[in-house]
Amino acid sequence: MDWNKIPVAGYVFFAIFLLVSLIHLIFCFYENEKWRKITKCLTTGSLFIALVIAIPAHPLPYIGLFLGLLGDFFLLKKHKVWPFALGLISFLAGHVVYIAEIFLLTGELSWGYIVSFVFYLVIFPIAFYNLIHRLIHQRHLAFGGTLYAAVISSALLMTIFSLANGASEYMVLVLLGYIAFIISDTMLALTLFKRNIKRRDFFIMSTYLLAQGLIAVGFCFYLLFA
């Protein structure tokens, strides 16, 4: 790999992302709400800048990350309905953008993959709406949560299809990122609507930051080195 393809500033902002993430997780661990909120958006914000510098000609990954940054901002007030809904919409839009990038990197898929993907998107909401509604008692939020779950799980499915179709091994990083994303979002939903736990934000943000980092690095390496 030619590491010189990434400008020095890209490495600097990725290092800032790692440092700020560590600081943020310390505040999460000690449940320092003031500084947890102050540092939260600085994490994905620095990763966003790192991607813009590293792959300026490929905007979809950093557009998806920017939408995640908006989601982080809205979820600072996740216990209120409208900020939570706006955060959900922002993250959903970000995953749609990520899926679009995965499609572009995958190349031509057989009809079997495409039909399976569309079938999954249709069947998932039908199969899981009642389950999610029991967790999220508000009907509109439950509908949005079901749609979000369908999109994020289909992104995971798409990465699997991409690897099966012969995509670069860097797509494995995106796959691992989506596994971490689903774990993080599951913990967020359960602790928000079912039962809170001590140091909740530490566990949620640990997996979330790992997810965003893996997805960003996966796309970056794929576009530059594959």
Side-chain angles (χ1 to χ4, degrees):
M1 290 191 296
D2 183 4
W3 296 103
N4 292 323
K5 287 185 176 181
I6 301 176
V8 172
Y11 292 114
V12 169
F13 275 97
F14 186 74
I16 292 172
F17 162 71
L18 294 176
L19 178 61
V20 175
S21 295
L22 176 61
I23 294 170
H24 175 72
L25 291 176
I26 291 171
F27 289 133
C28 289
F29 185 83
Y30 288 106
E31 298 182 313
N32 186 319
E33 279 296 291
K34 176 184 175 180
W35 285 100
R36 180 190 72 80
K37 290 181 177 180
I38 289 173
T39 55
K40 182 179 181 183
C41 292
L42 296 177
T43 57
T44 43
S46 55
L47 185 59
F48 165 73
I49 296 173
L51 270 193
V52 172
I53 293 170
I55 48 172
H58 304 278
L60 288 182
Y62 56 78
I63 289 173
L65 188 55
F66 178 75
L67 289 166
L69 175 59
L70 285 180
D72 286 340
F73 174 75
F74 289 127
L75 289 183
L76 288 174
K77 296 183 178 180
K78 56 182 172 287
H79 293 287
K80 297 184 178 180
V81 173
W82 278 110
F84 180 80
L86 290 172
L88 194 69
I89 293 168
S90 298
F91 277 113
L92 189 150
H95 291 307
V96 170
V97 173
Y98 282 153
I99 290 172
E101 182 64 29
I102 296 168
F103 266 114
L104 290 176
L105 293 176
T106 299
E108 187 174 350
L109 283 171
S110 69
W111 278 105
Y113 286 127
I114 295 172
V115 170
S116 298
F117 185 75
V118 174
F119 180 77
Y120 179 83
L121 276 176
V122 172
I123 292 299
F124 184 95
I126 297 172
F128 285 91
Y129 173 76
N130 285 333
L131 177 64
I132 293 175
H133 192 203
R134 284 199 293 269
L135 176 64
I136 305 174
H137 300 297
Q138 298 181 41
R139 183 166 57 87
H140 293 94
L141 280 182
F143 176 80
T146 304
L147 181 61
Y148 176 84
V151 170
I152 191 172
S153 58
S154 65
L156 176 66
L157 181 64
M158 189 59 216
T159 59
I160 294 170
F161 285 172
S162 181
L163 286 164
N165 199 53
S168 164
E169 66 274 12
Y170 297 122
M171 189 61 71
V172 173
L173 296 175
V174 180
L175 175 66
L176 294 174
Y178 263 107
I179 291 172
F181 228 127
I182 290 170
I183 292 171
S184 177
D185 286 341
T186 301
M187 286 192 292
L188 174 63
L190 290 175
T191 56
L192 200 57
F193 298 104
K194 202 70 174 176
R195 184 172 67 89
N196 199 0
I197 61 172
K198 189 174 178 60
R199 297 191 174 94
R200 173 193 63 194
D201 291 305
F202 174 78
F203 297 110
I204 292 170
M205 290 304 296
S206 295
T207 46
Y208 169 72
L209 293 172
L210 176 64
Q212 290 285 32
L214 285 171
I215 291 171
V217 171
F219 282 140
C220 183
F221 283 8
Y222 200 127
L223 290 163
L224 293 177
F225 305 129

